[in-house]
Amino acid sequence: MRIAPLTVLTEDSSAPADGKSGEESLLAIDGLAIDAAGEDGTVRLIEGVSLAIRRGEVLGLVGESGCGKSITALSILRILPESLRIVAGTVRFEGQDLSRLDARALRSLRGGRIGMIFQEPMTSLNPTFTIGWQLVEALRLHGHGRTARQQAIEALRRVGIGGAERRLAQYPHELSGGLRQRVMIAMALACRPRLLIADEPTTALDVTIQKQILELLARLRRELGMAVLLVSHDFGVIAEYADRIAVMYAGRVVEHGSAATLLAHPHHPYTAGLLAARPSLTGRRGTLANIPGTVPPPGARGAGCSFADRCTRGLDRCRAELPAFISTDSGTAACWNPLP
């Protein structure tokens, strides 16, 4: 057995992804809870999420669509839709509580010390302005007025865009999907942030371009020494590029730990199911495994483990009581009947 004795790490069954305190982390999310307002009242989308990212590392946040990954990422910079509200928890960056920042300080943080790549570059870039205007404006907002144009050119070159000066005059619709994504990366990294949030950075791109974009991010991470929160539903992407992994399910983190150990020995049945469903690069595995059922919607997750109805290891206790976190060889997992 590789599982340590049962240990409740926090009262709300949440725990920092690396077991470190917020003071030792570049980013520390502690006990985050987010509600959504609807016609029938409010429902809880995110419950008790705690994550920590060290300086210079890549934390992979993985799970099926609808698990709350993107909402968690957006909450860091307080750019949630108006219908969503943070109701509990703290987000600290370099020891500073971001909830205490006013609007001006938050604008300075966004794109400055923290950069973000959104899922769809065509909707993230403003179609009515040139690439150059958008890059230069972002740099000017962060105090790079006199050198903004030259820095914009250098930012495009850094992400491998040829003819950078010519590209400044183009509009988003004049660029391919891969080039738009590179422009988004250039904008996110123009001010050399300490943390990059990459939310599904290869969505809607073909496999070849996906590989190029991910390798570009890996290279820039090494060159700039920044930390990365890499959000993806693709365990293959997370497995290749993350130092540590946090697995989300139905608004909660259910397992987290070092990538190498977690990938080799998952303890939460959901993590094991995601890994079993990965396609084989050799094409010799035959029919892919799948997890029966779907992620339960907010408001229908029950009192216990939200994965219980899809789990082959479910116990009566799983449906009645929220699992506590246990220590594992890779980190922690929230499960009453974990894999050995």
Side-chain angles (χ1 to χ4, degrees), residues 265-299:
H265 305 294
H267 295 295
H268 197 285
Y270 179 62
T271 306
L274 289 179
L275 287 169
R278 285 189 301 168
S280 169
L281 293 177
T282 63
R284 297 176 180 173
R285 281 176 47 182
T287 303
L288 288 177
N290 72 301
I291 304 173
T294 58
V295 180

Short mmCIF file of all heavy atoms in Angstrom, two decimals, residues 265-299:
data_model
loop_
_atom_site.label_atom_id
_atom_site.label_comp_id
_atom_site.label_asym_id
_atom_site.label_seq_id
_atom_site.Cartn_x
_atom_site.Cartn_y
_atom_site.Cartn_z
N HIS A 265 0.75 6.26 -10.29
CA HIS A 265 -0.03 5.62 -9.24
C HIS A 265 -1.17 6.52 -8.77
O HIS A 265 -1.12 7.06 -7.67
CB HIS A 265 0.87 5.26 -8.05
CG HIS A 265 2.05 4.43 -8.39
ND1 HIS A 265 1.95 3.13 -8.86
CD2 HIS A 265 3.37 4.72 -8.36
CE1 HIS A 265 3.16 2.66 -9.08
NE2 HIS A 265 4.05 3.60 -8.81
N PRO A 266 -2.21 6.70 -9.58
CA PRO A 266 -3.35 7.50 -9.13
C PRO A 266 -4.09 6.78 -8.01
O PRO A 266 -4.17 5.54 -8.02
CB PRO A 266 -4.21 7.62 -10.39
CG PRO A 266 -3.89 6.38 -11.18
CD PRO A 266 -2.43 6.12 -10.93
N HIS A 267 -4.62 7.54 -7.07
CA HIS A 267 -5.34 6.92 -5.95
C HIS A 267 -6.84 7.21 -5.98
O HIS A 267 -7.63 6.43 -5.47
CB HIS A 267 -4.74 7.37 -4.63
CG HIS A 267 -3.34 6.90 -4.44
ND1 HIS A 267 -3.00 5.58 -4.31
CD2 HIS A 267 -2.16 7.58 -4.39
CE1 HIS A 267 -1.69 5.45 -4.16
NE2 HIS A 267 -1.16 6.66 -4.23
N HIS A 268 -7.24 8.34 -6.58
CA HIS A 268 -8.67 8.61 -6.69
C HIS A 268 -9.21 7.88 -7.92
O HIS A 268 -8.61 7.93 -8.99
CB HIS A 268 -8.92 10.12 -6.82
CG HIS A 268 -10.34 10.49 -6.53
ND1 HIS A 268 -11.38 10.25 -7.42
CD2 HIS A 268 -10.89 11.07 -5.44
CE1 HIS A 268 -12.51 10.68 -6.89
NE2 HIS A 268 -12.25 11.18 -5.69
N PRO A 269 -10.34 7.19 -7.81
CA PRO A 269 -10.90 6.47 -8.96
C PRO A 269 -11.17 7.36 -10.17
O PRO A 269 -11.07 6.90 -11.31
CB PRO A 269 -12.20 5.87 -8.40
CG PRO A 269 -11.95 5.73 -6.93
CD PRO A 269 -11.10 6.92 -6.57
N TYR A 270 -11.50 8.62 -9.93
CA TYR A 270 -11.74 9.52 -11.06
C TYR A 270 -10.45 9.79 -11.82
O TYR A 270 -10.43 9.76 -13.06
CB TYR A 270 -12.33 10.84 -10.56
CG TYR A 270 -12.57 11.85 -11.66
CD1 TYR A 270 -13.47 11.57 -12.70
CD2 TYR A 270 -11.91 13.07 -11.67
CE1 TYR A 270 -13.69 12.48 -13.72
CE2 TYR A 270 -12.14 13.99 -12.69
CZ TYR A 270 -13.03 13.70 -13.70
OH TYR A 270 -13.24 14.59 -14.72
N THR A 271 -9.36 10.04 -11.11
CA THR A 271 -8.07 10.23 -11.77
C THR A 271 -7.70 8.99 -12.58
O THR A 271 -7.25 9.10 -13.73
CB THR A 271 -6.97 10.51 -10.73
OG1 THR A 271 -7.37 11.61 -9.90
CG2 THR A 271 -5.65 10.83 -11.40
N ALA A 272 -7.88 7.82 -11.99
CA ALA A 272 -7.56 6.58 -12.69
C ALA A 272 -8.41 6.43 -13.95
O ALA A 272 -7.93 5.97 -14.99
CB ALA A 272 -7.76 5.39 -11.76
N GLY A 273 -9.69 6.83 -13.86
CA GLY A 273 -10.57 6.74 -15.03
C GLY A 273 -10.14 7.66 -16.14
O GLY A 273 -10.16 7.29 -17.32
N LEU A 274 -9.74 8.89 -15.81
CA LEU A 274 -9.26 9.82 -16.82
C LEU A 274 -8.00 9.29 -17.50
O LEU A 274 -7.85 9.38 -18.73
CB LEU A 274 -8.96 11.18 -16.19
CG LEU A 274 -10.14 12.03 -15.73
CD1 LEU A 274 -9.64 13.32 -15.10
CD2 LEU A 274 -11.09 12.35 -16.88
N LEU A 275 -7.11 8.73 -16.72
CA LEU A 275 -5.87 8.20 -17.29
C LEU A 275 -6.14 7.00 -18.19
O LEU A 275 -5.52 6.84 -19.24
CB LEU A 275 -4.90 7.81 -16.16
CG LEU A 275 -4.25 8.99 -15.43
CD1 LEU A 275 -3.53 8.50 -14.18
CD2 LEU A 275 -3.27 9.70 -16.35
N ALA A 276 -7.08 6.15 -17.79
CA ALA A 276 -7.41 4.97 -18.60
C ALA A 276 -8.06 5.35 -19.92
O ALA A 276 -7.99 4.58 -20.89
CB ALA A 276 -8.33 4.04 -17.81
N ALA A 277 -8.69 6.53 -19.96
CA ALA A 277 -9.39 6.97 -21.17
C ALA A 277 -8.48 7.66 -22.17
O ALA A 277 -8.92 8.04 -23.25
CB ALA A 277 -10.53 7.90 -20.79
N ARG A 278 -7.21 7.83 -21.82
CA ARG A 278 -6.29 8.49 -22.76
C ARG A 278 -6.01 7.61 -23.96
O ARG A 278 -5.78 6.40 -23.81
CB ARG A 278 -4.94 8.80 -22.07
CG ARG A 278 -4.96 9.94 -21.12
CD ARG A 278 -3.54 10.27 -20.67
NE ARG A 278 -2.91 9.13 -20.02
CZ ARG A 278 -1.61 9.06 -19.74
NH1 ARG A 278 -0.81 10.05 -20.07
NH2 ARG A 278 -1.11 8.00 -19.14
N PRO A 279 -6.02 8.17 -25.17
CA PRO A 279 -5.64 7.38 -26.35
C PRO A 279 -4.18 6.97 -26.27
O PRO A 279 -3.35 7.67 -25.69
CB PRO A 279 -5.86 8.35 -27.52
CG PRO A 279 -6.70 9.45 -26.98
CD PRO A 279 -6.40 9.54 -25.52
N SER A 280 -3.87 5.82 -26.85
CA SER A 280 -2.48 5.35 -26.90
C SER A 280 -1.80 5.93 -28.13
O SER A 280 -2.37 5.96 -29.22
CB SER A 280 -2.45 3.82 -26.96
OG SER A 280 -1.16 3.36 -27.25
N LEU A 281 -0.56 6.38 -27.97
CA LEU A 281 0.20 6.90 -29.10
C LEU A 281 0.53 5.81 -30.11
O LEU A 281 0.72 6.08 -31.29
CB LEU A 281 1.48 7.57 -28.60
CG LEU A 281 1.30 8.84 -27.76
CD1 LEU A 281 2.65 9.34 -27.27
CD2 LEU A 281 0.59 9.91 -28.56
N THR A 282 0.59 4.56 -29.65
CA THR A 282 0.91 3.45 -30.55
C THR A 282 -0.31 2.91 -31.26
O THR A 282 -0.20 2.18 -32.24
CB THR A 282 1.57 2.30 -29.76
OG1 THR A 282 0.63 1.81 -28.80
CG2 THR A 282 2.82 2.80 -29.04
N GLY A 283 -1.50 3.26 -30.73
CA GLY A 283 -2.73 2.77 -31.34
C GLY A 283 -2.99 1.29 -31.11
O GLY A 283 -3.76 0.66 -31.81
N ARG A 284 -2.38 0.70 -30.07
CA ARG A 284 -2.50 -0.74 -29.85
C ARG A 284 -3.39 -1.12 -28.68
O ARG A 284 -3.45 -2.27 -28.29
CB ARG A 284 -1.09 -1.31 -29.60
CG ARG A 284 -0.15 -1.16 -30.79
CD ARG A 284 1.24 -1.65 -30.42
NE ARG A 284 2.15 -1.51 -31.54
CZ ARG A 284 3.47 -1.74 -31.46
NH1 ARG A 284 4.00 -2.14 -30.32
NH2 ARG A 284 4.23 -1.57 -32.53
N ARG A 285 -4.07 -0.12 -28.11
CA ARG A 285 -4.84 -0.43 -26.90
C ARG A 285 -6.25 -0.89 -27.19
O ARG A 285 -6.98 -1.32 -26.30
CB ARG A 285 -4.89 0.79 -25.99
CG ARG A 285 -3.63 0.96 -25.20
CD ARG A 285 -3.65 2.22 -24.37
NE ARG A 285 -4.91 2.36 -23.63
CZ ARG A 285 -5.18 3.40 -22.86
NH1 ARG A 285 -4.30 4.37 -22.73
NH2 ARG A 285 -6.32 3.50 -22.22
N GLY A 286 -6.71 -0.84 -28.44
CA GLY A 286 -8.07 -1.26 -28.75
C GLY A 286 -9.08 -0.24 -28.28
O GLY A 286 -8.85 0.96 -28.32
N THR A 287 -10.25 -0.71 -27.80
CA THR A 287 -11.32 0.17 -27.37
C THR A 287 -10.90 0.97 -26.14
O THR A 287 -10.38 0.41 -25.17
CB THR A 287 -12.58 -0.65 -27.04
OG1 THR A 287 -12.95 -1.42 -28.17
CG2 THR A 287 -13.73 0.27 -26.65
N LEU A 288 -11.14 2.27 -26.17
CA LEU A 288 -10.78 3.13 -25.05
C LEU A 288 -11.72 2.87 -23.88
O LEU A 288 -12.92 2.62 -24.04
CB LEU A 288 -10.87 4.60 -25.44
CG LEU A 288 -9.80 5.14 -26.39
CD1 LEU A 288 -10.12 6.59 -26.72
CD2 LEU A 288 -8.43 5.03 -25.77
N ALA A 289 -11.15 2.94 -22.67
CA ALA A 289 -11.98 2.90 -21.47
C ALA A 289 -12.76 4.19 -21.36
O ALA A 289 -12.37 5.22 -21.91
CB ALA A 289 -11.09 2.70 -20.25
N ASN A 290 -13.88 4.14 -20.67
CA ASN A 290 -14.66 5.35 -20.45
C ASN A 290 -15.26 5.34 -19.06
O ASN A 290 -15.43 4.28 -18.45
CB ASN A 290 -15.75 5.52 -21.52
CG ASN A 290 -16.87 4.52 -21.32
OD1 ASN A 290 -16.64 3.31 -21.35
ND2 ASN A 290 -18.08 5.00 -21.13
N ILE A 291 -15.56 6.54 -18.56
CA ILE A 291 -16.21 6.67 -17.27
C ILE A 291 -17.71 6.80 -17.51
O ILE A 291 -18.14 7.74 -18.19
CB ILE A 291 -15.70 7.90 -16.51
CG1 ILE A 291 -14.17 7.85 -16.38
CG2 ILE A 291 -16.34 8.00 -15.14
CD1 ILE A 291 -13.57 9.11 -15.78
N PRO A 292 -18.52 5.87 -17.04
CA PRO A 292 -19.97 5.96 -17.30
C PRO A 292 -20.57 7.19 -16.65
O PRO A 292 -20.08 7.69 -15.63
CB PRO A 292 -20.51 4.67 -16.67
CG PRO A 292 -19.50 4.28 -15.64
CD PRO A 292 -18.18 4.70 -16.20
N GLY A 293 -21.65 7.69 -17.25
CA GLY A 293 -22.35 8.84 -16.68
C GLY A 293 -21.71 10.16 -17.04
O GLY A 293 -20.80 10.24 -17.86
N THR A 294 -22.19 11.22 -16.41
CA THR A 294 -21.70 12.58 -16.68
C THR A 294 -21.46 13.31 -15.36
O THR A 294 -21.92 12.88 -14.29
CB THR A 294 -22.72 13.38 -17.51
OG1 THR A 294 -23.96 13.43 -16.81
CG2 THR A 294 -22.93 12.74 -18.88
N VAL A 295 -20.77 14.44 -15.46
CA VAL A 295 -20.53 15.27 -14.28
C VAL A 295 -21.87 15.82 -13.79
O VAL A 295 -22.62 16.39 -14.58
CB VAL A 295 -19.58 16.44 -14.63
CG1 VAL A 295 -19.33 17.30 -13.38
CG2 VAL A 295 -18.26 15.91 -15.18
N PRO A 296 -22.23 15.64 -12.51
CA PRO A 296 -23.51 16.16 -12.03
C PRO A 296 -23.54 17.68 -12.07
O PRO A 296 -22.53 18.33 -11.79
CB PRO A 296 -23.57 15.64 -10.58
CG PRO A 296 -22.15 15.43 -10.19
CD PRO A 296 -21.45 15.00 -11.44
N PRO A 297 -24.66 18.26 -12.44
CA PRO A 297 -24.75 19.73 -12.50
C PRO A 297 -24.74 20.33 -11.10
O PRO A 297 -25.07 19.64 -10.11
CB PRO A 297 -26.10 19.96 -13.19
CG PRO A 297 -26.90 18.75 -12.85
CD PRO A 297 -25.93 17.62 -12.81
N PRO A 298 -24.39 21.60 -10.99
CA PRO A 298 -24.46 22.28 -9.69
C PRO A 298 -25.86 22.18 -9.11
O PRO A 298 -26.86 22.25 -9.83
CB PRO A 298 -24.10 23.73 -10.02
CG PRO A 298 -23.31 23.64 -11.28
CD PRO A 298 -23.88 22.50 -12.05
N GLY A 299 -25.96 21.99 -7.83
CA GLY A 299 -27.25 21.85 -7.18
C GLY A 299 -27.74 20.41 -7.12
O GLY A 299 -28.77 20.14 -6.49
#
